[in-house]
Amino acid sequence: MDQQNLYRVAGQFSLEGEMIEAVPYGNGHINDTYRITCRTKDGMRRYILQKMNRNVFVRPEELMENECGVTEWLRKKITEQGGDALRETLNYVPTHDGAPYLKEADGEYWRVVLFIENASCYDLVEKDEDFYQSAVAFGRFQRLLADYPADTLHETIPDFHNTPDRLAKFEAALQSDVCGRAKEIPEEIRFVLERRSLTHVLTDRLQDGTLPLRVTHNDTKLNNVMFDNESGKAICVIDLDTVMPGLSLYDFGDSIRFGASTAAEDERDLSKVSCSLRLFELYGKGYLEGCAGALTDAELELLPMGAIVMTFECGIRFLTDYLEGDHYFKIHREGHNLDRARTQFRLVADMEKKLPRMKEIVDSLR
Ligand code: ADP
Ligand code: GN1
Ligand code: MG
């Protein structure tokens, strides 16, 4: 997107001051994100401008209805508890017409949020303490939304964490093999098919009522939380596109998948990839604290399985996208989704070995 167009789009929102810069920003896999800088009378004002991914979110109006509802709720609770709602949740900036998002003539949808200043986002755990802080933040996020009217939330991506459905989609992609890539990846295919039964572990327990449905974030990777540069505390959970009814195990599991890995999600040297039990324990401790006693015995028991299933599911999704020609996740190199799938499967295999130890750790935290 060229600068002129970015300026034109951003100019339709109620920004303060004169726009002086628009640059691509962040490492998200889904939306097109830009940082906008404006010069004001007394300094600078920055914003995040995002083009919502229409391929992923087919009903952006519903997406924004969810996000406005959830952030309004959070703003109220944060303020009541003496927090700073301008930094501790997302704040949407309206268009000049007072709308929370912009629909362009070409059918694209855009939104603007206040840039959270003096805060950072991490793609890898640099300090153990950060991972612990992110756990407290995601646990607290869930607690703040515990009494949110879940029936008002739209399902922004149907079957998002329906792992058996993810497997079915993988099998369909394998069958069609539109890019002729299946022949290159026999080992990865075998890895998935050998573990079919794993996909049911959480959904079966949801269906039989063992696990409670909650309002969850559903995309709890480390770079979806912002840390205050001064206090080091995780202050704001971002990327609210997938806030929907779900399982606490989705949130816990996805955080472990991304943050407790000893390597990046797209690391090519698989010998570097493993699940750190130290980070698993740290996250578990923070998450239980953040949830403040809300988790049931059944949820606690299944936390380690949650990590395995979510990692497996994510690997299946990356591999499906690879087979289908990389049209879901943004890629930055040839074979990027395959590399990502391989790290996830390496993690699954490692977690399977470490499962008894992971269970002991959770028991020690209860
Ligand atoms: P995606 O769905 O593509 O992951 P995100 O909403 O997570 O998009 O945004 C991508 C990145 O942009 C984040 O990882 C973060 O680095 C940055 N970002 C998003 N919102 C803000 C914000 N309000 N303030 C500062 N940085 C932000
Ligand atoms: C995507 O949007 P982002 O980059 O935070 C994806 C997650 C995956 C993740 C893998 C809406 O997250 O589900 O787990 O990539 N988000 C969506 O890194 O599909
Ligand atoms: Mg994100």
Side-chain angles (χ1 to χ4, degrees):
M1 184 95 181
D2 59 51
Q3 287 275 312
Q4 207 186 345
N5 264 320
L6 282 175
Y7 273 50
R8 188 184 49 75
V9 169
Q12 298 179 65
F13 288 85
S14 301
L15 309 182
E16 219 182 290
E18 179 206 352
M19 217 180 319
I20 54 166
E21 189 190 52
V23 288
Y25 195 77
N27 291 325
H29 293 341
I30 301 297
N31 298 300
D32 290 351
T33 304
Y34 303 90
R35 190 190 63 201
I36 303 287
T37 307
C38 295
R39 191 185 291 122
T40 62
K41 282 198 297 300
D42 39 15
M44 298 287 182
R45 226 342 169 183
R46 298 198 290 182
Y47 302 90
I48 287 284
L49 168 71
Q50 271 185 336
K51 182 163 89 177
M52 293 175 245
N53 185 325
R54 289 301 313 278
N55 180 29
V56 170
F57 302 109
V58 287
R59 283 186 289 277
E61 293 88 353
E62 292 187 358
L63 182 77
M64 290 307 294
E65 215 176 289
N66 276 4
E67 297 193 26
C68 291
V70 165
T71 51
E72 197 183 314
W73 179 274
L74 291 174
R75 231 181 333 275
K76 194 162 162 277
K77 291 220 169 180
I78 291 165
T79 309
E80 275 167 13
Q81 293 172 13
D84 177 0
L86 286 176
R87 297 189 83 227
E88 295 171 29
T89 187
L90 292 178
N91 289 271
Y92 294 96
V93 176
T95 64
H96 294 306
D97 300 336
Y101 58 89
L102 174 75
K103 184 180 178 190
E104 278 278 88
D106 60 3
E108 298 295 355
Y109 286 72
W110 295 81
R111 63 185 170 206
V112 170
V113 287
L114 297 183
F115 190 91
I116 302 168
E117 298 288 353
N118 303 315
S120 306
C121 238
Y122 304 115
D123 287 304
L124 260 184
V125 173
E126 287 167 18
K127 286 191 275 127
D128 284 9
E129 172 69 13
D130 292 341
F131 196 43
Y132 165 76
Q133 288 297 336
S134 75
V136 177
F138 280 123
R140 177 166 176 262
F141 179 85
Q142 203 200 87
R143 192 159 43 85
L144 290 176
L145 291 174
D147 47 355
Y148 190 80
D151 54 345
T152 63
L153 281 172
H154 303 285
E155 208 180 354
T156 53
I157 304 180
D159 293 317
F160 190 57
H161 286 312
N162 181 342
T163 318
D165 185 66
R166 293 291 187 181
L167 175 69
K169 286 178 175 143
F170 166 77
E171 291 186 304
L174 189 57
Q175 195 69 40
S176 319
D177 192 21
V178 288
C179 301
R181 289 175 167 175
K183 59 180 178 304
E184 300 162 15
I185 51 166
E187 268 179 53
E188 287 75 15
I189 294 170
R190 189 164 0 100
F191 189 93
V192 174
L193 299 180
E194 275 171 7
R195 287 169 176 75
R196 276 201 182 90
S197 59
L198 196 54
T199 62
H200 285 270
V201 175
L202 303 184
T203 45
D204 284 357
R205 305 269 192 357
L206 174 63
Q207 267 155 23
D208 70 15
T210 316
L211 291 171
L213 198 61
R214 300 179 182 278
V215 173
T216 46
H217 183 280
N218 297 307
D219 187 3
T220 51
K221 59 183 192 185
L222 186 66
N223 67 13
N224 284 333
V225 63
M226 306 228 24
F227 294 82
D228 183 83
N229 290 344
E230 265 163 47
S231 69
K233 294 241 157 35
I235 45 163
C236 184
V237 169
I238 62 169
D239 201 345
L240 307 176
D241 293 338
T242 50
V243 173
M244 288 182 277
L247 299 178
S248 59
L249 303 166
Y250 299 158
D251 280 3
F252 178 80
D254 199 48
S255 294
I256 297 299
R257 171 192 83 71
F258 191 86
S261 171
T262 52
E265 194 183 56
D266 59 357
E267 174 59 55
R268 280 184 171 131
D269 179 355
L270 293 180
S271 69
K272 291 186 179 158
V273 182
S274 66
C275 174
S276 158
L277 288 174
R278 189 187 81 255
L279 293 177
F280 176 85
E281 178 163 7
L282 210 57
Y283 194 91
K285 182 169 178 288
Y287 192 66
L288 296 198
E289 275 171 32
C291 288
L295 299 187
T296 64
D297 285 345
E299 286 174 299
L300 291 168
E301 238 156 71
L302 280 164
L303 287 176
M305 273 318 282
I308 296 183
V309 175
M310 292 310 294
T311 308
F312 187 46
E313 181 191 277
C314 198
I316 293 175
R317 293 175 61 199
F318 286 141
L319 202 61
T320 305
D321 201 29
Y322 180 69
L323 287 170
E324 290 179 339
D326 309 303
H327 55 63
Y328 186 93
F329 296 104
K330 284 183 195 302
I331 56 162
H332 306 292
R333 61 178 188 243
E334 222 16 58
H336 208 162
N337 274 316
L338 177 57
D339 294 340
R340 290 170 177 152
R342 285 179 170 151
T343 60
Q344 302 307 291
F345 296 156
R346 174 56 73 105
L347 276 174
V348 169
D350 189 48
M351 288 179 192
E352 284 172 344
K353 280 196 232 119
K354 291 175 176 164
L355 183 60
R357 194 55 206 119
M358 287 159 87
K359 286 185 171 160
E360 280 171 17
I361 291 172
V362 172
D363 283 344
S364 74
L365 295 172
R366 291 168 76 164

